[in-house]
Amino acid sequence: MDRPRRLRRTPALRALTREVHLHPSQFIHPIFVHERDTVTDIGTMPGVQRHSIDSAVQQAREALALGVPSVILFGIPDHKDATGTQAYAEDGIIQRATRAIKDSVPEVTVIADTCLCEYTDHGHCGPLCEVPGLSGADAWTVDNDASLALLAQTAVSQARAGADVIAPSAMMDGQVAAIRAALDNAGFTHTPIMSYAVKYASAYYGPFRDAAGSTPSVGNRATYQMDPAGGHREALREARLDAEQGADTLMVKPALAYLDVLNLLKREFDLPVVAYNVSGEYSLIKAAAAAGFMDERRTVLETLTGMRRAGADAIITYHALDAARWIAEDARA
């Protein structure tokens, strides 16, 4: 009789035969930075805050001390307008936060989220244009080609501020090619692009939009983010286009409902794959744990392990610091 249980008999045997391992170096810690001197709680994301620049530096330092070497920055400006000018301002909030972190904790890898949605007064990922023949909310969409120039300008300003990685998330056609060309022309040929290659129009983003103040005031993002029912064909097309245009890593966002897509990209492309464990996924676990329905520690580590098992080389997760602590505690036990 085959007895697979033999290798599950003790903790040591289970550890010895384990195929998937979690390590803090695989995590990317997201930081929301606003233009205030205060740190404010985000009600829909328990345990997550909007940070001042000084506090963001402390977050980066704490992450590094826990073995998490990378952070991704999301900016919340005081001023918003139709074209998101603060996204590419040389003294924009992300640019200043990047300089501060690189000056104080140069060992930390700073990834700059490159988008316009947090900076526009309408909450979309680029300037809007009218759609002929339609009315109401459907009459407006993002002007794809006008957005490319602004995203490229944003990427160069972020690289100039010291960002180690540029992460375009707007889902505009051709954005990777436009950003790659702009970075190269500005002398940043060494700066990699972490592309949000496969990003769905997901309900799981709700808490993030509260955190970043980026809820669209008109229409929705379904005209440029992917249809959750789109399937593998569309995912492969989007990822292949970004890879051909110069992406150095490919991302799947969200992660949990799209583990099949994550695994697909891992198998089909010879590039590192990143999973974004998004705000809604985080808040669901937090809410269930607070209600006593689930064990937070076990659930988080199991969830992150599932993303690694599906093929994620790295995971952007709001659980990063807690998970790093728990992994360290388990290693000492």
Side-chain angles (χ1 to χ4, degrees), residues 165-215:
V165 181
I166 299 301
S169 60
M171 286 301 287
M172 294 296 110
D173 293 340
Q175 65 181 12
V176 172
I179 289 170
R180 183 73 271 159
L183 290 172
D184 291 351
N185 289 338
F188 296 104
T189 57
H190 60 281
T191 302
I193 295 174
M194 177 185 289
S195 171
Y196 286 68
V198 181
K199 179 180 177 182
Y200 291 89
S202 173
Y204 285 98
Y205 303 152
F208 178 97
R209 292 175 181 175
D210 173 49
S214 60
T215 301

Side-chain angles (χ1 to χ4, degrees), residues 128-328:
L128 297 180
C129 61
E130 289 189 76
V131 181
L134 294 179
S135 60
D138 292 334
W140 296 93
T141 190
V142 173
D143 187 326
N144 190 96
D145 294 357
S147 299
L148 296 182
L150 301 182
L151 291 167
Q153 188 175 349
T154 300
V156 171
S157 73
Q158 292 170 336
R160 191 177 289 124
D164 298 290
V165 181
I166 299 301
S169 60
M171 286 301 287
M172 294 296 110
D173 293 340
Q175 65 181 12
V176 172
I179 289 170
R180 183 73 271 159
L183 290 172
D184 291 351
N185 289 338
F188 296 104
T189 57
H190 60 281
T191 302
I193 295 174
M194 177 185 289
S195 171
Y196 286 68
V198 181
K199 179 180 177 182
Y200 291 89
S202 173
Y204 285 98
Y205 303 152
F208 178 97
R209 292 175 181 175
D210 173 49
S214 60
T215 301
S217 60
V218 61
N220 56 57
R221 296 192 175 104
T223 61
Y224 48 102
Q225 294 179 356
M226 293 167 58
D227 182 357
H232 288 180
R233 180 176 59 200
E234 185 180 22
L236 283 173
R237 184 184 185 193
E238 288 282 1
R240 186 170 291 113
L241 284 169
D242 282 6
E244 291 170 351
Q245 291 172 27
D248 298 282
T249 67
L250 302 172
M251 189 191 303
V252 175
K253 180 183 180 185
L256 272 180
Y258 302 93
L259 293 179
D260 60 319
V261 177
L262 182 64
N263 184 255
L264 177 70
L265 266 59
K266 182 65 175 178
R267 290 185 284 108
E268 292 290 329
F269 295 94
D270 190 23
L271 289 173
V273 178
V274 179
Y276 196 145
N277 179 209
V278 299
S279 59
E281 297 166 352
Y282 170 88
S283 295
L284 283 173
I285 292 177
K286 281 289 188 179
F293 297 156
M294 301 175 76
D295 180 299
E296 181 179 355
R297 177 174 176 156
R298 289 187 61 195
T299 305
V300 168
L301 294 178
E302 182 177 344
T303 298
L304 297 177
T305 298
M307 294 172 191
R308 285 276 295 140
R309 190 177 61 249
D313 296 289
I315 304 171
I316 300 172
T317 176
Y318 303 94
H319 298 291
L321 303 191
D322 283 339
R325 292 187 190 97
W326 295 330
I327 291 169

Side-chain angles (χ1 to χ4, degrees), residues 46-81:
V48 179
Q49 295 84 30
R50 299 180 189 90
H51 291 274
S52 66
I53 289 177
D54 288 345
S55 179
V57 172
Q58 286 301 113
Q59 282 280 294
R61 185 176 285 115
E62 181 180 357
L64 186 64
L66 289 167
V68 178
S70 304
V71 300
I72 184 167
L73 302 183
F74 298 95
I76 308 168
D78 281 345
H79 171 75
K80 302 189 179 194
D81 54 40

